Structure formats: structure tokens, C-alpha cells
Amino acid sequence: MRTVMIPLAIVAIAAPAIAQTPAEIAIRKGMDASAAGWNAGDLARFMDIYAEDAVFVTPKGLLRGKPAIADKYRSSFNGTGNARGKLSFAFLEMRGLDPAHAMLFARWTLTGASTSESGMTTLVFERRGAAWKIISDHSS
């Protein structure tokens, strides 16, 4: 029996690219902008992706509304960065629920000068006008 070796590069080129929907592109762009706001120490920019009536799940209960969620994060923002470290996301899966709603599963990572922490997030987005906004955030 003869084994045929196919260079990995050829397989990668021949594999079809997974097309992203306009919603996925917009949500990823919004999440990247939010992380950039976190990393710049800009709370308003970080929070821009949240809807005014968003709900955030905490170990102690629910935070309701964008102002309450912003208050949760406010102490780590100092205008030149974030005291908790640099934020990044690894997008794991996105599901369209209907034309106006999508769910994102991702891993968040905070990398500080000497520490790193990571967890999971499940975000529900709603299309509001031309923008996709987080209406539900469960991060652990």
C-alpha cells in the first residue's frame, strides 16, 4: 500500500473559507472596538456596544441598564489603560437567532504585567438601527 502525502499548505488553500454574515462582521468589529476602549482606559468607548437596557449577570444577581454595568467597571478605568490588564477576545461561535438577534460565545482574556486571567462570555445582541448592541451579558 502506498501512502500519498499532501502538503498541508495545499489543503489549506483548497479548503473553502467560511463566509461571515454582515451581522457577524459588525458584531466582531463592535467587540474589537469595545476591547480597544478597555485597553485605552476609555469607559465610554468600552461601553458603547451595550444597549441602554442591557442586563449583566453577576454572581450576586443581575445588573440592569448600561449605567449600572458601567458603574461595575468604572474603578478599573484610569484614562491611560485599565488596571485589570489588556482585554482580548477569542470568538468561539456565533449563532444568528433571527434577523434582529444573535448570540456570541467567546473567551475573554485579561493580560496584566504579571498576571493573566481568562473566562467565558455568552452575549446576546440585538440589532438596533444600524448597530448591534449587547442586550444580555453573562461572563464568568
Side-chain angles (χ1 to χ4, degrees):
M1 178 193 233
R2 192 168 124 171
T3 303
V4 176
M5 300 292 287
I6 301 173
L8 216 44
I10 293 173
V11 174
I13 291 170
I18 297 174
Q20 291 182 342
T21 67
E24 290 173 320
I25 293 167
I27 289 169
R28 285 176 181 260
K29 184 177 176 182
M31 291 296 292
D32 289 342
S34 182
W38 176 282
N39 297 334
D42 184 340
L43 179 61
R45 191 165 144 205
F46 168 70
M47 291 297 302
D48 188 54
I49 197 162
Y50 284 89
E52 289 299 322
D53 59 344
V55 176
F56 187 91
V57 178
T58 75
K60 295 180 182 178
L62 299 179
L63 295 176
R64 290 181 175 85
K66 190 173 182 174
I69 298 166
D71 285 345
K72 174 194 182 318
Y73 286 112
R74 191 172 316 283
S75 64
S76 66
F77 283 80
N78 59 24
T80 60
N82 193 293
R84 294 185 59 199
K86 182 179 177 186
L87 176 64
S88 63
F89 293 102
F91 302 105
L92 303 176
E93 185 170 337
M94 192 162 324
R95 291 186 178 186
L97 302 175
D98 63 35
H101 295 89
M103 187 178 317
L104 171 65
F105 302 93
R107 173 167 295 284
W108 57 266
T109 301
L110 286 174
T111 306
S114 61
T115 63
S116 181
E117 60 181 300
S118 183
M120 298 296 295
T121 189
T122 303
L123 304 169
V124 178
F125 288 83
E126 183 174 75
R127 185 177 180 94
R128 298 212 172 158
W132 285 88
K133 299 290 185 177
I134 296 171
I135 60 170
S136 177
D137 180 341
H138 187 186
S139 299
S140 57

